Amino acid sequence: MFDCQKKPLFSSVIFLLSLGLLWASCQKPDRAAGERGKELCLAVIPMGTTHEFWKAIHAGAKTAAEELAVRIIWKGPLKEDDRNEQVQIVETMIAARVDAIILTPLDDRALIPPVVEAKKAGIPTVIFNSALAGNHHIAYISTDNRRGGRLAAEHIGKLMSGRGNLILIRVLESVEGGRQREEGFLEGIRGKFPAMTILSDNQYAGITTETAYQTTENLLSRFPNVEAIFTPNESSTFGCLRALQDHGLAGKVIHVGFDTSVKLIEALEKGQLAGLVLQDPFRMGYESVKTAVAHLRDQPYEKYIDTGVFMATPENMNRPEIRRLLIPDLSILER
């Protein structure tokens, strides 16, 4: 039988082994660097690793790393709401003496202490995708999330001619980027379309498709007169889409989501989604690595980079500039 009292020792051994491997991986000599000594080793820490968005971030980061002859360690929490695991990952990378940390924080305050710890250890942090409170990081690379929310509001408002009943489904209270999208959406509706009625704006989808599906189910039961819904990330959009499909409402209720995946692209093609607000995650990962390396090599860099936000619709989705964002090139991850 498994002895629960031995679990801390087992976890400590696994932690020390992982730390040893990480430390060793960051000590390999850089053949390309020559006289510069060991190659730079950067930790890239996303909120999660399963969604297409994170894969595109990874592809961009890896592309920049290859161009700049540096190494990256890609490591994120198993669950996108596990801030404790993300804190532990940051602390592990500090102990492994990586040269820089590139982080999208699950919580804009809970991740401050490990970033401060990294700074004290001489390890700079670049924040991407979702902001971190304070000024202990060296740069921030992100979408203008508030503008993304406003884009969704403008699109829905025009499709509804400024009148009708809508719902905003939130994601997680602790994620600053999501809050910016949600508040930008509400600002856009209230500012430009005051005749529209917001039936609900205080329900959270959580981090999975399943929890988003259940939240949407509950809202459809409470508000059968809903005419439009905004969902501010990939999992909330797909969960909501599935619920609308099961109720025969996909394409009848105007649904605008955020981010992309194969299933969401299919729904956009069929008109079951009225729009998808798109980021440029490939560029976000790319610019984050470039910024960290520029700092480490005492080169100039921008302290804030807006990577852009765009609206994909059934009408424009095949334009090259939109298609590139809907289906980012992930082939580098197969190498």
Side-chain angles (χ1 to χ4, degrees):
M1 181 178 292
F2 181 76
D3 185 352
C4 292
Q5 297 303 314
K6 293 182 181 179
K7 187 175 180 181
L9 176 59
F10 177 77
S11 298
S12 298
V13 170
I14 294 298
F15 172 81
L16 289 172
L17 285 172
S18 299
L19 180 57
L21 289 171
L22 281 173
W23 183 88
S25 73
C26 290
Q27 308 308 309
K28 294 179 181 178
D30 179 13
R31 296 190 186 106
E35 296 301 319
R36 295 197 305 272
K38 76 176 183 70
E39 71 179 330
L40 295 176
C41 182
L42 286 62
V44 185
I45 307 172
M47 293 180 183
T49 57
T50 56
H51 292 156
E52 295 301 308
F53 179 79
W54 304 120
K55 294 175 185 177
I57 293 274
H58 191 185
K62 191 173 179 182
T63 299
E66 288 191 0
E67 289 180 8
L68 298 168
V70 301
R71 297 185 64 253
I72 62 168
I73 299 170
W74 174 262
K75 179 67 174 175
L78 293 176
K79 294 173 62 181
E80 287 189 25
D81 63 349
D82 195 339
R83 63 176 64 88
N84 290 333
E85 185 183 1
Q86 193 179 50
V87 168
Q88 289 172 5
I89 291 170
V90 175
E91 291 174 342
T92 300
M93 297 302 174
I94 295 169
R97 299 297 302 167
V98 295
D99 294 291
I101 291 170
I102 299 169
L103 168 71
T104 179
L106 268 167
D107 189 302
D108 62 343
R109 297 194 178 274
L111 271 294
I112 293 175
V115 170
V116 171
E117 182 185 346
K119 185 177 181 181
K120 289 178 179 177
I123 302 172
T125 299
V126 171
I127 298 296
F128 72 94
N129 180 56
S130 189
L132 183 71
N135 59 356
H136 301 288
H137 48 284
I138 63 163
Y140 178 42
I141 289 87
S142 180
T143 303
D144 184 339
N145 285 300
R146 210 170 192 91
R147 182 167 180 268
R150 291 198 297 268
L151 271 183
E154 289 169 10
H155 190 51
I156 286 177
K158 288 176 182 177
L159 290 175
M160 297 180 71
S161 301
R163 296 184 179 277
N165 301 319
L166 65 87
I167 287 173
L168 160 66
I169 300 179
R170 297 178 183 262
V171 185
L172 281 176
E173 189 172 3
S174 63
V175 178
E176 190 272 347
R179 286 203 307 271
Q180 290 294 322
R181 297 172 193 177
E182 294 151 7
E183 296 309 315
F185 177 77
L186 293 175
E187 287 174 1
I189 293 296
R190 290 166 178 160
K192 291 192 174 183
F193 307 103
M196 297 186 72
T197 301
I198 301 170
L199 300 174
S200 173
D201 67 357
N202 62 359
Q203 297 301 298
Y204 288 85
I207 61 165
T208 69
T209 296
E210 288 71 25
T211 54
Y213 179 94
Q214 191 57 57
T215 298
T216 306
E217 283 271 288
N218 295 339
L219 287 167
L220 291 175
S221 296
R222 288 175 56 195
F223 304 107
N225 60 334
V226 63
E227 297 168 83
I229 299 175
F230 172 54
T231 46
N233 81 331
E234 181 186 336
S235 57
S236 63
T237 299
F238 187 46
C240 177
L241 172 66
R242 281 182 49 206
L244 291 172
Q245 289 171 334
D246 287 353
H247 284 266
L249 295 173
K252 297 177 182 178
V253 170
I254 294 169
H255 181 196
V256 173
F258 220 102
D259 291 332
T260 182
S261 71
V262 172
K263 294 293 185 182
L264 297 184
I265 294 169
E266 290 176 358
L268 194 65
E269 289 174 334
K270 295 176 181 177
Q272 295 181 341
L273 279 166
L276 287 171
V277 183
L278 300 179
Q279 308 178 76
D280 192 343
F282 185 97
R283 184 185 173 199
M284 207 179 295
Y286 183 86
E287 296 288 357
S288 295
V289 169
K290 280 190 66 178
T291 298
V293 173
H295 175 84
L296 292 167
R297 292 178 176 169
D298 295 321
Q299 298 168 348
Y301 62 90
E302 298 291 329
K303 294 188 181 298
Y304 173 69
I305 297 175
D306 177 1
T307 52
V309 63
F310 313 86
M311 175 63 72
T313 67
E315 294 74 30
N316 74 5
M317 64 180 295
N318 289 316
R319 294 178 188 170
E321 65 274 18
I322 298 296
R323 203 72 184 172
R324 176 184 69 83
L325 298 171
L326 282 170
I327 310 175
D329 182 4
L330 305 181
S331 58
I332 193 170
L333 300 181
E334 299 171 3
R335 301 208 296 263

